[in-house]
């Protein structure tokens, strides 16, 4: 296990300098929207929180952390915060898997397609789309989280933003619950799947249906109580949602939040959850980039919720 303080200090330093935990320049990380011609002026904005965009860098970072965990080099991880952020960020950008970057962009484009086919009017302003800071909160750095959250909240307030559509559980919880609790923000926050609308399943959709098992992310299942919404959407499209041992408010964690402190412990937690999901014999549906990346490490067949919904859009 790495020193929690070293990891927190490193992540906090990256967030202060580059506004994301990995130090990757935003202009390189957030490019999925180019060519889509999404309107900038709108009462409601799509807000990604850069979580899906960060997935390839999370995978690369945790792979390196796992390689050196419990080695003689582990105590030196804290010195990484003294490396010039442009150098570290650019290096990570170049090392991250290009296919994973394409996959992440595809997920966000699927979400745009789902919203548009549902008749939702929204815009996107990449200059206002910031990482929420949630990992700092998860790791106990409340001061670091609040410093960053104030920066994000101030930018949104100055732009007159009041309504946001989110795409992942971590950003949703941060903006909807934590920003309001600690900063008093009054943002109206909805997930994209809460807004998705589809006609009832028909014969022309028979090729898309089948059994699936839904993995509820901790924030959606335990704290935001949104587990029933994806299940209802999938059922309405003709899928059979197979029950899993732990779900909803009692969902099992994928192990992702522990990756930065101990990749090995994270893998143990992940393996237990994968066994629960695979016991159903159905393909796994995830709706969180952290869960998606962690569950896939086991070799399990996992697809994002947006992939299933986009087929009907």
């Amino acid at each position: 296990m790495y020193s929690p303080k070293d990891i927190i200090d490193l992540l906090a330093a990256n967030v202060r300098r580059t506004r994301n935990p990995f130090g990757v320049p935003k202009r390189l990380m957030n490019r999925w929207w180019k060519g889509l011609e999404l309107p900038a002026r709108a009462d409601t904005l799509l807000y990604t929180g850069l979580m899906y965009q960060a997935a390839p860098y999370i995978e690369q970072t945790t792979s390196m952390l796992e390689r050196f965990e419990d080695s003689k080099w582990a105590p030196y991880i804290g010195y990484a915060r003294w490396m010039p952020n442009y150098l570290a960020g650019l290096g990570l950008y170049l090392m991250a898997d290009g296919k994973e970057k394409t996959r992440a962009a595809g997920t966000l484009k699927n979400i745009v397609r789902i919203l548009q086919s549902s008749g939702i009017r929204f815009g996107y302003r990449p200059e206002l789309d910031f990482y929420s800071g949630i990992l700092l909160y998860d790791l106990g750095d409340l001061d670091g989280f609040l410093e960053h959250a104030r920066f994000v909240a101030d930018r949104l307030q100055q732009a007159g933003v009041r309504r946001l559509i989110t795409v992942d559980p971590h950003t949703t919880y941060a903006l909807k619950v934590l920003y309001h609790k600690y900063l008093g923000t009054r943002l109206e926050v909805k997930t994209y799947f809460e807004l998705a609308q589809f006609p009832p399943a028909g014969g022309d959709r028979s090729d898309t249906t089948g059994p699936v098992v839904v993995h509820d992310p901790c924030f959606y299942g335990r704290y935001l109580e949104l587990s029933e919404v994806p299940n209802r959407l999938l059922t309405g499209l003709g899928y059979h949602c197979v029950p899993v041992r732990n779900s909803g408010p009692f969902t099992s964690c994928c192990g992702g939040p522990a990756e930065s402190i101990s990749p090995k412990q994270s893998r143990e937690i992940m393996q237990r959850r994968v066994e629960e999901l695979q016991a159903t014999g159905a393909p796994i549906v995830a709706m969180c980039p952290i869960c998606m990346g962690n569950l896939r490490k086991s070799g399990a067949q996992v697809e994002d919720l947006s992939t299933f919904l986009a087929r009907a859009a």
Side-chain angles (χ1 to χ4, degrees):
M1 177 182 290
Y2 289 97
S3 163
K5 184 179 185 305
D6 286 345
I7 295 295
I8 292 170
D9 287 347
L10 175 58
L11 295 173
N14 281 339
V15 170
R16 282 195 301 271
R17 293 182 296 193
T18 66
R19 297 301 171 188
N20 73 74
F22 308 102
V24 179
K26 187 178 178 182
R27 67 181 183 278
L28 297 178
M29 178 184 286
N30 192 32
R31 301 172 61 87
W32 69 273
W33 52 274
K34 292 182 178 293
L36 294 184
E37 298 183 357
L38 297 174
R41 292 183 175 274
D43 293 332
T44 302
L45 292 182
L46 179 65
Y47 196 93
T48 73
L50 306 185
M51 288 297 293
Y52 276 97
Q53 298 93 312
Y57 309 106
I58 294 173
E59 180 179 345
Q60 182 64 38
T61 301
T62 55
S63 175
M64 291 188 291
L65 287 173
E66 188 168 15
R67 188 182 313 160
F68 295 110
E69 186 177 10
D70 298 328
S71 75
K72 65 179 181 180
W73 303 107
Y76 297 97
I77 188 69
Y79 291 103
R81 70 180 183 274
W82 302 112
M83 182 180 295
N85 61 286
Y86 71 89
L87 184 61
L90 182 59
L92 186 57
Y93 172 78
L94 294 173
M95 287 190 292
D97 191 330
K99 291 182 180 179
E100 290 303 315
K101 295 175 187 176
T102 301
R103 188 201 300 270
T107 297
L108 296 173
K109 290 176 182 178
N110 278 342
I111 290 171
V112 166
R113 180 181 171 190
I114 293 163
L115 290 170
Q116 290 175 336
S117 71
S118 299
I120 306 301
R121 301 181 66 178
F122 66 96
Y124 182 66
R125 294 182 61 179
E127 75 277 12
L128 294 178
D129 195 0
F130 292 99
Y131 172 66
S132 70
I134 187 67
L135 184 56
L136 297 178
Y137 178 84
D138 289 343
L139 294 177
D141 183 8
L142 183 59
D143 290 340
F145 167 73
L146 290 178
E147 179 185 352
H148 179 70
R150 288 190 189 97
F151 168 86
V152 176
D154 286 348
R155 296 304 181 279
L156 294 174
Q157 183 178 25
Q158 290 166 11
V161 177
R162 290 187 174 86
R163 289 192 291 275
L164 297 172
I165 301 173
T166 52
V167 302
D168 76 272
H170 299 265
T171 303
T172 304
Y173 185 75
L175 295 176
K176 189 169 188 174
V177 178
L178 298 179
Y179 279 36
H180 176 68
K181 177 180 179 180
Y182 291 105
L183 304 178
T185 60
R186 297 185 178 278
L187 294 166
E188 182 182 333
V189 181
K190 291 281 188 180
T191 64
Y192 78 93
F193 56 77
E194 289 179 276
L195 301 173
Q197 299 180 31
F198 302 98
D204 59 336
R205 288 183 180 164
S206 60
D207 61 330
T208 68
T209 57
V212 294
V213 59
V214 177
H215 166 67
D216 294 319
C218 294
F219 283 124
Y220 282 159
R222 298 179 187 175
Y223 309 123
L224 295 171
E225 299 181 348
L226 291 174
S227 298
E228 291 304 314
V229 181
N231 281 273
R232 185 168 64 247
L233 285 172
L234 290 168
T235 300
L237 293 175
Y239 291 94
H240 170 53
C241 294
V242 181
V244 63
R245 178 183 174 188
N246 294 304
S247 62
F250 303 104
T251 188
S252 293
C253 182
C254 74
E259 284 182 310
S260 57
I261 301 296
S262 177
K264 291 181 180 178
Q265 289 188 7
S266 172
R267 186 173 287 275
E268 292 174 5
I269 297 169
M270 171 268 289
Q271 194 58 51
R272 288 197 294 269
R273 181 52 170 170
V274 168
E275 289 173 1
E276 292 177 353
L277 294 166
Q278 289 185 325
T280 67
I284 302 169
V285 179
M287 57 197 95
C288 167
I290 307 298
C291 296
M292 176 81 67
N294 222 34
L295 295 175
R296 277 182 171 159
K297 289 178 182 178
S298 69
Q301 179 186 353
V302 189
E303 292 292 343
D304 193 83
L305 173 68
S306 64
T307 301
F308 290 86
L309 300 185
R311 291 172 186 158

